[in-house]
Amino acid sequence: MEQRDNSGVLFKNDKKETGNQPDYKGNITVDGKPYWLSAWVKEGKTGKFMGLAVSPKEEANTTAPKSKPSSGFDDMDDDIPF
């Protein structure tokens, strides 16, 4: 199913283990960019409402640790005898 721009979906989180985890999870696309969408059912003065959080979906390649650029100098390759 192709998701339309500026729309999203939420599903009940059946795997919720702690109170901090969202009650609902899903995704949303805004301006062609995908995001994760989380929702918590909360109680307010006038009744129940949903608190929302949005975070960017990152590709698997960007979550890997970045390697340090090489300086071309290896300080372990010297002739000091100690």
Side-chain angles (χ1 to χ4, degrees):
M1 180 175 126
E2 185 178 335
Q3 189 168 334
R4 295 181 184 178
D5 199 22
N6 298 322
S7 66
V9 294
L10 281 172
F11 300 97
K12 186 163 180 68
N13 184 4
D14 294 328
K15 298 177 182 175
K16 183 175 176 170
E17 295 176 359
T18 67
N20 293 341
Q21 292 176 325
D23 297 307
Y24 293 85
K25 293 170 53 174
N27 57 67
I28 188 168
T29 301
V30 179
D31 292 332
K33 297 177 186 172
Y35 296 89
W36 294 113
L37 182 61
S38 301
W40 290 261
V41 177
K42 298 184 176 193
E43 188 73 39
K45 291 180 182 180
T46 59
K48 289 186 178 184
F49 67 96
M50 289 185 133
L52 303 175
V54 179
S55 57
K57 280 188 178 182
E58 306 219 344
E59 294 183 26
N61 295 353
T62 60
T63 58
K66 294 180 181 178
S67 63
K68 236 180 162 178
S70 174
S71 65
F73 176 75
D74 183 5
D75 62 350
M76 299 303 282
D77 188 25
D78 55 351
D79 295 329
I80 299 174
F82 55 88

